[in-house]
Amino acid sequence: MRIPLTWLREYAQVPAGATAEDVMTELVKVGFEEEDVHRPLDEISGPIVVGQVLSLEQEPQSNGKTINWCTVRVVPEGAAQTLDIDGIDPSGVQGIVCGAHNFVVGDKVVVTLPGAVLPGDFRITPRNTYGHISAGMIASVRELGIGDDHDGILVLSTLGLDPELGTDALELLGLRDEAAEINVTPDRGYAFSIRGVAREYAHATDSVFTDPASLVSVTATTGEGHPVRLADEAPIYGNAGCDRFVARTVTGINAAAQTPPWMSSRLRLAGIRSISLPVDISNYVMLELGQPLHFYDAEKVTGEIVVRRAAAGETLKTLDGKVRKLDVEDLLITDGSGAIGVAGVMGGASTEVSSATVNVLIEAAHFEEVSIARSRRRHKLPSEASKRFERGVDVAIADVAAQRAVDLLVELAGGTEDTTVTDVGTPAVVAPVFLPSGYASARIGINFTQEQIIGSLTDLGAVVEKVDGGYSVTAPSWRHDLLAKDDLTEEVARLVGYDVIPSTLPTAPPGRGYSRAQQQRRRAVQALADSGLTEILAYPFVSKASNDVFGVAEAGATRTAVKLANPLSEEFGFLRTSVLPGLIEIAKRNHSRGFHDLALFESGLVFLPSETMGTASIPPLGVKPPEDVLDGLYDGIPYQPLTIGAVFTGKDSPAAPAHSPRTWDWADAIDAARLVADVVGVELVVTQGSHQAFHPGRAAVLSLRDGDVVGYAGELHPKLLAELNMPARSVAMEINAEKVFAAAADVIVAKGISTFPVATQDVALVVPVEVPAAAVLETLREGAGELLEDVALFDEYQGTGIPEGSKSLAFGLRFRAGDRTLTSDEASAARASAVELAAERFGATQR
């Protein structure tokens, strides 16, 4: 929310010399966050004054352009020029070349004199142009930074202004004002108004607040105005979409009248572009009081206005010119012709106010928050009005805001007030909240006095009554967030002052620390980072195609995924069943920016839904649900195992003298998966396998000793890499860390280091080519017995000397005993036992 200081000063006692920074400092005390400062004088500086055109000579040029050679008086007739700047004529009359043609002799204009600086660091100096010394510039709206119009220079009479010559144009156009911008949290929608911020500033400074609503005198009605009917037959959560609708009419307006500079400058500083006088008035009232308004061309509204839900298949052409297909949940404003607006979000084009509008129908309504929020998201139509409605608008302010708009249309647009008034609906009665006497003190840690509690809540606008055991507090109509005793406690603490709350660090109880799973995850993540990988965090939202490819090993296999009801993007409308799509997307983004050698990993949750998803109903708020209801809620949540994935592309290190970097390959992906298991004391079994996302011949299945598959690793499928525009031979791994961690022993015991020498023997076995090397290795391990310390494959050969259809596998076996030095006969006997078992299972023969 941007707060122009001149506007704020009308309702709060802001010191004359206070800056936007000073105002934000005070507002921080009552819980707001600083955002930014908007100060036009940071980009523009004088001398910029009001001048009057004395003469104008049109001079055609050889390039086909016609320029005006003008003399402009910039001081009152008979007054002396007091500015002593190079290029400013002491006579008070400047010679200026101007290319615009929308002014005549006698017009009062804005003149930027030598020494002035315009937005964009455009400095004004005397310059020789078109055969004249042009000492200044006659400015347009865009050049002054107060609008987009650049068709001609700004003639002040078009704004209804007739100032004295030499008047400071920066002051005249509101450019000496400044605005403080604060962040407003969703529960404090009342602060999206000058009214709300002024009240909070008064709280922060303990000064007087003048409610702008109290300055508006609502005209006594002389009868019913335009007919309006509230007919919400499908309320969301039982709450009517509209519980109050005020309609007023103003006739005979001049919709083409200019918006006065004071209003347009305030709107501009508040971040809203000036469009036309009726639109500017509606925006001005909304910013001032917090009540969004909508103006209809009364002549285009046919018959009774009905507020209802949309019918299936109904459409509406909105003010932005788009035809929108409406949802049955959308709350509509309709008349005899059908829909004329999506309530609280955007009006329809058929009843739009234009420059030809004479009679205006004003809508000031109170709409239910959920309806507006859903329509805004559904149609992707964020607006200043919807931002306020979905956070909660003061239901009691509708008639005051409508009257304020009526008064401004009468004053500025020359309209006539129609004293008939429509005010329909029955707002819900605010229920009082009980605040026990000692509750706030116990929760905050300060002994609040009764005066502090009653005074703070009364300052908020609440009605406070002292009752047995505490206080009965009825929240003001603009504070929808005060629903429980904790909300009231927070307000007391906020207004008494956060700075008086003592800061005490809690003492950690003994015997607490990370859980077993947390320790395992930290060890795994730290091990990957220590090995040179970079940890990333990707969005959990993916496309259906990504889940289809990475979520199941076989193409076309059954795959279920959680579809989002309100996705950030329709392209990414599902929760991930694999972490690899996010890793690959980040790798792609880095490649597009010139980073090609990557080793990335992520530790995160994936979402694997079962047959049961969600629950038939949502438990009520405010009470803990019974255990069976909680069990049902948990059963409806998808299984979310912790998963660790990694992607490698390019080289393993930068090139350097005497060093040739190595390209990442499938073995690196397997090693990364093994590392995750090793640090928690689990051994992975790696076998050749297949997965539709991986290369058909370079993919490994990762399993536990009991055969449970926990992941895959290897080279990504070439076709997939080409589709994703990723480098060829990129590799990846993904492992279900939850299963791996569960398989780990409670205590990892380090193996003892033997002081006895190792006995090493090699064996080369010829086996059928289809026999996996890993199966042979495991057989040798089993057959060699307890003396075998380690076995590793170091060579695979097919060719001369090896029968066709067979291959030779060479293994290195390490034998060691913990209590003695092995003899060569003992090692040979263990080796022979291993070879014998391999021969029995695979028909292996020694080469």
Side-chain angles (χ1 to χ4, degrees):
M1 174 68 186
R2 296 184 183 182
I3 311 110
L5 263 57
T6 58
W7 205 349
L8 182 64
R9 286 190 174 99
E10 291 186 6
Y11 309 116
Q13 293 180 326
V14 182
T19 64
E21 290 86 352
D22 297 331
V23 169
M24 288 193 295
T25 298
E26 297 297 339
L27 292 174
V28 165
K29 295 178 182 178
V30 287
F32 293 101
E33 296 178 3
E34 298 179 353
E35 284 289 334
D36 203 356
V37 170
H38 302 272
R39 186 179 289 117
L41 289 184
D42 289 342
E43 293 188 337
I44 187 170
S45 61
I48 302 176
V49 300
V50 173
Q52 185 172 37
V53 180
L54 300 180
S55 67
L56 184 155
E57 298 178 15
Q58 293 190 346
E59 298 180 356
Q61 304 297 311
S62 58
N63 61 4
K65 182 178 180 180
T66 298
I67 61 98
N68 298 313
W69 169 240
C70 309
T71 57
V72 185
R73 177 171 292 282
V74 293
V75 296
E77 183 72 33
Q81 176 59 268
T82 58
L83 297 174
D84 185 15
I85 300 175
D86 184 33
I88 297 181
D89 198 302
S91 68
V93 177
Q94 300 291 122
I96 298 175
V97 172
C98 182
H101 301 283
N102 66 316
F103 63 102
V104 296
V105 172
D107 280 343
K108 289 185 177 180
V109 294
V110 176
V111 181
T112 59
L113 296 171
V117 180
L118 295 179
D121 197 29
F122 183 68
R123 298 178 180 273
I124 306 300
T125 58
R127 56 194 177 93
N128 192 334
T129 180
Y130 295 109
H132 300 280
I133 301 296
S134 182
M137 186 174 75
I138 305 175
S140 69
V141 167
R142 183 189 294 178
E143 288 162 343
L144 293 170
I146 60 175
D148 298 326
D149 186 11
H150 197 55
D151 294 336
I153 59 97
L154 173 60
V155 178
L156 294 174
S157 61
T158 62
L159 301 180
L161 298 176
D162 186 22
E164 183 182 39
L165 300 185
T167 298
D168 181 3
L170 296 177
E171 184 72 35
L172 180 70
L173 299 175
L175 294 172
R176 293 198 180 277
D177 197 1
E178 56 186 293
E181 184 175 358
I182 58 173
N183 179 40
V184 177
T185 53
D187 61 329
R188 300 175 73 179
Y190 67 92
F192 277 115
S193 66
I194 300 298
R195 181 193 188 207
V197 174
R199 180 182 283 108
E200 291 294 335
Y201 184 85
H203 293 331
T205 58
D206 196 23
S207 57
V208 176
F209 162 66
T210 302
D211 189 347
S214 68
L215 305 179
V216 178
S217 178
V218 178
T219 302
T221 179
T222 58
E224 288 293 325
H226 195 97
V228 175
R229 179 164 52 91
L230 308 183
D232 182 6
E233 297 179 356
I236 298 176
Y237 299 141
N239 298 318
C242 178
D243 58 8
R244 189 181 188 190
F245 195 110
V246 175
R248 296 291 303 275
T249 302
V250 178
T251 60
I253 71 163
N254 176 12
Q258 287 291 324
T259 301
W262 61 267
M263 179 179 284
S264 60
S265 67
R266 285 182 173 181
L267 291 174
R268 183 175 62 252
L269 264 181
I272 294 182
R273 182 170 58 93
S274 177
I275 297 174
S276 67
L277 182 57
V279 174
D280 291 350
I281 287 174
S282 68
N283 285 331
Y284 188 86
V285 174
M286 175 187 67
L287 289 173
E288 184 173 71
L289 298 175
Q291 169 68 58
L293 303 175
H294 188 73
F295 288 2
Y296 302 91
D297 187 323
E299 302 304 315
K300 299 176 182 177
V301 178
T302 59
E304 179 187 36
I305 288 179
V306 179
V307 183
R308 60 169 174 82
R309 300 287 172 177
E314 197 167 2
T315 61
L316 169 67
K317 184 177 183 180
T318 48
L319 288 172
D320 57 3
K322 295 182 180 180
V323 176
R324 302 183 182 275
K325 184 178 179 181
L326 302 173
D327 187 272
V328 292
E329 271 196 354
D330 288 330
L331 188 68
L332 303 182
I333 310 299
T334 67
D335 68 356
S337 65
I340 58 174
V342 180
V345 179
M346 183 174 283
S350 63
T351 56
E352 180 180 9
V353 172
S354 68
S355 58
T357 296
V358 176
N359 301 324
V360 170
L361 178 65
I362 301 170
E363 166 204 304
H366 183 263
F367 300 116
E368 189 266 332
E369 295 88 343
V370 175
S371 292
I372 304 307
R374 290 186 179 182
S375 291
R376 188 265 302 167
R377 286 197 299 269
R378 184 180 299 115
H379 298 292
K380 298 178 176 62
L381 274 176
S383 65
E384 291 293 329
S386 65
K387 179 166 65 178
R388 287 162 174 80
F389 277 126
E390 63 186 89
R391 287 165 173 80
V393 169
D394 183 359
V395 69
I397 202 74
D399 57 337
V400 176
Q403 183 66 53
R404 177 69 163 141
V406 169
D407 294 343
L408 288 172
L409 284 170
V410 171
E411 176 187 352
L412 303 177
T416 300
E417 177 182 11
D418 186 334
T419 56
T420 60
V421 177
T422 300
D423 191 343
V424 297
T426 305
V429 177
V430 179
V433 177
F434 177 66
L435 177 64
S437 294
Y439 189 79
S441 298
R443 296 288 285 177
I444 305 301
I446 299 176
N447 290 323
F448 294 114
T449 65
Q450 178 174 306
E451 291 72 19
Q452 286 177 317
I453 293 174
I454 294 178
S456 298
L457 297 177
T458 302
D459 285 347
L460 287 177
V463 176
V464 184
E465 181 182 354
K466 188 71 176 72
V467 295
D468 289 342
Y471 310 88
S472 175
V473 183
T474 303
S477 55
W478 57 86
R479 292 302 301 267
H480 304 272
D481 57 313
L482 303 182
L483 303 174
K485 57 187 177 182
D486 291 299
D487 300 326
L488 300 177
T489 297
E490 180 184 356
E491 292 302 300
V492 172
R494 184 172 70 88
L495 296 189
V496 171
Y498 291 135
D499 56 324
V500 302
I501 299 175
S503 178
T504 304
L505 291 176
T507 302
R512 299 290 181 89
Y514 293 123
S515 67
R516 179 172 181 265
Q518 289 172 330
Q519 293 173 346
Q520 291 171 319
R521 179 176 183 174
R522 284 173 173 263
R523 284 204 296 271
V525 168
Q526 190 63 53
L528 289 172
D530 290 344
S531 67
L533 279 73
T534 300
E535 185 176 12
I536 60 94
L537 182 64
Y539 283 116
F541 313 122
V542 298
S543 65
K544 179 180 182 299
S546 293
N547 274 343
D548 288 343
V549 172
F550 292 96
V552 288
E554 297 182 14
T558 302
R559 194 255 332 137
T560 57
V562 179
K563 190 176 189 304
L564 298 171
N566 295 299
L568 295 175
S569 166
E570 291 298 330
E571 182 183 358
F572 303 105
F574 290 82
L575 288 175
R576 67 188 179 187
T577 56
S578 165
V579 297
L580 290 181
L583 279 161
I584 291 172
E585 185 64 31
I586 290 175
K588 277 180 56 180
R589 190 176 302 117
N590 278 272
H591 274 273
S592 69
R593 287 158 173 76
F595 300 99
H596 302 292
D597 302 327
L598 302 171
L600 309 176
F601 80 96
E602 180 180 9
S603 166
L605 302 180
V606 297
F607 305 85
L608 308 176
S610 59
E611 294 181 0
T612 302
M613 280 291 295
T615 55
S617 62
I618 299 175
L621 300 176
V623 294
K624 181 181 178 180
E627 290 300 323
D628 59 331
V629 175
L630 286 175
D631 291 341
L633 291 173
Y634 289 129
D635 291 341
I637 298 174
Y639 172 47
Q640 301 172 45
L642 175 66
T643 304
I644 296 177
V647 169
F648 303 80
T649 68
K651 309 289 186 180
D652 68 342
S653 57
H659 170 67
S660 297
R662 183 180 61 83
T663 301
W664 296 113
D665 62 22
W666 58 266
D668 296 297
I670 294 175
D671 285 345
R674 276 180 164 153
L675 179 60
V676 171
D678 286 346
V679 295
V680 295
V682 174
E683 183 181 359
L684 283 185
V685 177
V686 180
T687 57
Q688 188 173 20
S690 64
H691 189 292
Q692 61 175 326
F694 289 86
H695 191 290
R698 299 172 189 152
V701 177
L702 310 174
S703 307
L704 300 176
R705 276 289 171 189
D706 62 3
D708 190 9
V709 175
V710 294
Y712 295 86
E715 186 177 310
L716 290 169
H717 200 292
K719 183 178 179 180
L720 177 65
L721 292 173
E723 290 175 353
L724 296 173
N725 198 26
M726 288 279 288
R729 311 298 290 271
S730 295
V731 298
M733 77 84 178
E734 183 172 32
I735 188 169
N736 185 324
E738 185 171 302
K739 286 186 176 181
V740 173
F741 295 167
D746 291 337
V747 178
I748 301 174
V749 179
K751 292 182 179 179
I753 299 175
S754 176
T755 59
F756 295 98
V758 65
T760 303
Q761 295 199 12
D762 295 339
V763 63
L765 299 177
V766 177
V767 297
V769 71
E770 66 271 10
V771 175
V776 178
L777 184 146
E778 288 300 316
T779 300
L780 292 176
R781 189 193 303 276
E782 180 183 346
E786 61 182 14
L787 293 180
L788 182 69
E789 182 179 78
D790 189 31
V791 57
L793 175 71
F794 66 83
D795 185 51
E796 180 178 346
Y797 172 72
Q798 297 181 56
T800 305
I802 304 299
E804 186 176 352
S806 298
K807 61 183 176 182
S808 172
L809 302 175
F811 297 91
L813 290 83
R814 293 166 54 90
F815 298 97
R816 195 194 312 258
D819 58 351
R820 68 188 187 281
T821 300
L822 289 178
T823 65
S824 60
D825 289 342
E826 288 178 305
S828 296
R831 173 181 175 276
S833 296
V835 172
E836 183 180 351
L837 186 58
E840 179 183 331
R841 290 185 178 176
F842 308 115
T845 60
Q846 292 194 62
R847 182 180 171 190

